[in-house]
Amino acid sequence: MSASASSTAGDEKQEAAPVTHCKGVNDLDKVVLREVRGSSAEVYLYGGHVTSWKDEHGDELLFVSNKAIFKSPKAIRGGIPICFPQFSNFGNLEQHGFARNRIWAIDTDPPAFPVPTSNTAYVDLILKPAEEDLKIWPHSFEYRLRVALSPGGDLMLTSRIRNTNADGKAFSFTFAYHTYFKVSDISEVRVEGLETLDYLDNLQDRARFTEQGDAIVFESELDRIYLGTPSKIAIIDHEKKRTFVVRKGGLPDAVVWNPWDKKAKAMSDFGDDEYKRMVCVEAAAIEKPVTLKPGEEWTGKLELSAVPSSYYSGQLDPDRVIQDSIVPEDSIS
């Protein structure tokens, strides 16, 4: 597959090359992003799937199962799967939709971003529906994804989804960045920023409850969709003394998931004890599907940071929710 970005596979020997195209597991195409201080990220064209995010010390921050299957039609277990145009079984499509098991293309000429980036370590991907997709979800769209690594090592994903239907029909979708964070011990993890919020409990037929704790802790299987969440959520790994900060825009919901032991053993692409070393905290738009008229474009942003817990004050931003960004056709250049 041709790819015109900052460099080619031959540049791999030059560690400073910010963007490298090479082959990954099972000879699948991937793009490696590097920042000068040593942080890196890897993105597979299969699924538009981020599978690695390392800090400047080379420590891996995302969880990918040792049993992950890098082969169609199975989605890669771990990293950041993209759930589109359907989250879970909120619709008639396959679980989590089809974007995560399609081959994306390098977007060689993406439209300008509203806020230009000064980063050099980024890649633009694009997904358009194939004939097989139109048969199961009869809507024409352009899904542009930018994956960027900041000089400080933050990982940023920006999704821009546009309705290109020629028949004048609107479409609706649900969405999630299904991020798997790597943790040292799930029993030592706290998620902060979701206290007092309502959530749908997927283990109880999506019954609605209100979070009573001052933080989310893990003592058994947990699978919840938190609603109307703030733009900033913290995942505190006490044993590692590290805090992940999730910042998001256009994504009002947040899914928190750990399969625990029984469900872990039931998954063929997941190790029996791997649940101890991961937690999913997913920026999402689920309760209220996003609806786009022809020509309209939606933007969903995710920014991930990893900082020593001593630097993290525990003070989250006030309830500042970034609203869904839907841009009408006539304002898209």
Side-chain angles (χ1 to χ4, degrees), residues 79-261:
I80 309 180
I82 288 175
C83 304
F84 172 83
Q86 175 183 300
F87 174 78
S88 184
N89 59 355
F90 280 79
N92 300 318
L93 300 176
E94 61 190 285
Q95 174 91 352
H96 289 326
F98 52 74
R100 64 186 187 144
N101 53 22
R102 296 292 187 266
I103 301 292
W104 294 53
I106 300 287
D107 192 359
T108 57
D109 188 26
F113 264 62
V115 180
T117 177
S118 59
N119 301 345
T120 54
Y122 68 89
V123 64
D124 289 298
L125 304 180
I126 187 167
L127 179 69
K128 297 180 181 181
E131 287 299 320
E132 60 183 301
D133 303 324
L134 292 169
K135 290 177 182 176
I136 59 173
W137 199 66
H139 303 292
S140 182
F141 65 88
E142 290 179 352
Y143 184 154
R144 287 182 161 86
L145 172 68
R146 174 169 289 188
V147 181
L149 200 59
S150 79
D154 294 350
L155 182 66
M156 295 167 286
L157 281 73
T158 305
S159 293
R160 295 188 290 174
I161 298 170
R162 187 176 183 186
N163 181 340
T164 57
N165 275 338
D167 59 7
K169 291 183 179 177
F171 64 66
S172 298
F173 62 89
T174 49
F175 178 95
Y177 292 113
H178 197 313
T179 310
Y180 288 73
F181 293 94
K182 184 177 181 180
V183 298
S184 51
D185 180 354
I186 187 62
S187 65
E188 297 291 324
V189 169
R190 291 166 58 93
V191 177
E192 295 186 355
L194 303 175
E195 48 276 6
T196 75
L197 298 181
D198 283 1
Y199 65 87
L200 306 179
D201 192 334
N202 287 321
L203 304 180
Q204 299 190 52
D205 296 323
R206 299 197 174 118
R208 189 172 184 131
F209 298 93
T210 300
E211 179 57 53
Q212 302 294 331
D214 60 357
I216 300 167
V217 295
F218 300 85
E219 299 170 338
S220 59
E221 182 183 357
L222 191 140
D223 189 356
R224 299 173 181 172
I225 303 168
Y226 286 83
L227 310 172
T229 61
S231 61
K232 189 173 173 184
I233 300 167
I235 305 157
I236 300 163
D237 185 339
H238 288 293
E239 188 170 310
K240 192 75 174 177
K241 296 182 172 60
R242 178 166 62 205
T243 295
F244 293 107
V245 181
V246 178
R247 296 177 178 87
K248 57 190 181 65
L251 297 161
D253 304 322
V255 181
V256 181
W257 178 63
N258 183 285
W260 219 251
D261 54 350

Side-chain angles (χ1 to χ4, degrees), residues 12 15 17-22 30-45 48-56 58-62 64 79-80 120-123 146-150 153-157 304:
E12 267 201 292
E15 286 193 1
V19 183
T20 303
H21 299 265
C22 53
K30 71 175 181 180
V31 178
V32 181
L33 307 177
R34 293 187 182 89
E35 265 300 340
V36 290
R37 296 179 191 173
S39 58
S40 66
E42 296 187 3
V43 190
Y44 274 74
L45 269 55
H49 197 133
V50 177
T51 56
S52 175
W53 170 41
K54 293 181 180 178
D55 65 16
E56 66 272 21
D59 290 339
E60 181 59 64
L61 303 171
L62 296 178
V64 174
I80 309 180
T120 54
Y122 68 89
V123 64
R146 174 169 289 188
V147 181
L149 200 59
S150 79
D154 294 350
L155 182 66
M156 295 167 286
L157 281 73
L304 305 178

Side-chain angles (χ1 to χ4, degrees), residues 172 223 277 307 329 331:
S172 298
D223 189 356
R277 296 188 290 107
V307 298
E329 180 178 19
S331 64

